[in-house]
Amino acid sequence: MTWDEMQPLLQTATRETLSMVGVATLVALLAGLPLGVLLVLTDRGGLLQSRPVNKAVGAVVNIGRSLPFIVLMLALTSFTRWVVGTSLGWQAATVPLAVGAIPFYARLAETAVREVDGGLVEAVQAMGGSTWTVVRKALLPESLASLVAGLTTTVIAVIGYSAMAGTVGGGGLGTLAYTYGYMRFETDFMVVIVIELVVLVTLVQLAGDLAVRSLGRHGRGDGPVRLLRRRSGSAPAGRPGPAEPAEQPLAAVEG
């Protein structure tokens, strides 16, 4: 197969793969992040401690993570057909991709949020902050770099899953690799697809690492919780300032 014949096929397959990965990652972020935070809040010693809720959510996450992706695709065939009207193509593959990515990212988000210093949480609570304020002002900002790193890992995993989905009619680069590279013995085509996947994963990893480093440089030390703690503390020696109203720190936290 010549390059002129490969090019349109690769362009279409690349768009399908990027669409699958983009939609599945967005769903994983919107659903997995709240699940990860909920696992931390409802755990022993958490702000919303509830062992039944924690055990139930943890069991759902563990079950979702334990299923191999191929098995998950087959198990969700009826659900996929109900959601998108078909069980073939990249739209259909997006459904199990998203379902599989949610528990994957939930555990990574849980680990990231658990790393937040408990003293920062106590500082927000001491100022009268509610649970939602603690999450918004302490847990999420302070764990942002780790959350981005976890999201990068999730995107790379979803890219691998999307290629696997192509072997069962999921579309994208996986379908090309199976149809042309494997079934028709087009070795050159297979090599091109492998190189493209490697480049795609490398770009995602580089972008994720750059974002994490940027957040690590600019987020630490100037986060909202540290600013609040400095604001509520005493003025620097030799530069006494007027006393602030007692409501000021609380207003800053709740705002």
Side-chain angles (χ1 to χ4, degrees), residues 14-35:
T14 301
R15 285 195 299 268
E16 292 178 352
T17 295
L18 293 178
S19 299
M20 282 189 285
V21 172
V23 174
T25 302
L26 179 61
V27 173
L29 177 63
L30 296 178
L33 180 57
L35 282 178

Side-chain angles (χ1 to χ4, degrees), residues 35 37 39 108 129 140 202 240 244 250:
L35 282 178
V37 174
L39 284 170
L108 296 177
L140 294 183
T202 302
E244 294 185 355
L250 177 57

Side-chain angles (χ1 to χ4, degrees), residues 84-247:
V84 298
T86 180
S87 59
L88 298 175
W90 73 266
Q91 296 92 338
T94 302
V95 176
L97 278 174
V99 173
I102 290 173
F104 185 90
Y105 185 63
R107 282 300 184 191
L108 296 177
E110 177 193 9
T111 301
V113 173
R114 284 191 190 279
E115 295 175 352
V116 176
D117 185 1
L120 302 179
V121 175
E122 294 174 0
V124 177
Q125 287 182 299
M127 295 175 191
S130 62
T131 300
W132 167 242
T133 303
V134 170
V135 172
R136 187 165 57 94
K137 293 289 187 178
L139 296 181
L140 294 183
E142 292 299 315
S143 62
L144 186 57
S146 297
L147 290 173
V148 172
L151 187 63
T152 302
T153 303
T154 302
V155 173
I156 293 174
V158 171
I159 292 174
Y161 291 158
S162 70
M164 194 183 305
T167 63
V168 289
L173 294 172
T175 294
L176 284 188
Y178 179 74
T179 303
Y180 291 90
Y182 179 74
M183 298 298 293
R184 300 186 183 182
F185 303 101
E186 295 281 355
T187 305
D188 293 343
F189 206 0
M190 178 71 82
V191 171
V192 171
I193 293 172
V194 170
I195 292 174
E196 182 173 354
L197 287 172
V198 170
V199 171
L200 181 59
V201 169
T202 302
L203 291 176
V204 170
Q205 187 65 63
L206 289 175
D209 291 344
L210 180 62
V212 170
R213 286 196 296 269
S214 178
L215 291 170
R217 286 196 302 267
H218 302 297
R220 299 298 180 182
D222 289 326
V225 175
R226 287 176 171 79
L227 290 175
L228 290 171
R229 293 178 69 179
R230 290 201 297 267
R231 188 173 184 175
S232 62
S234 58
R239 298 180 59 186
E244 294 185 355
E247 294 81 1

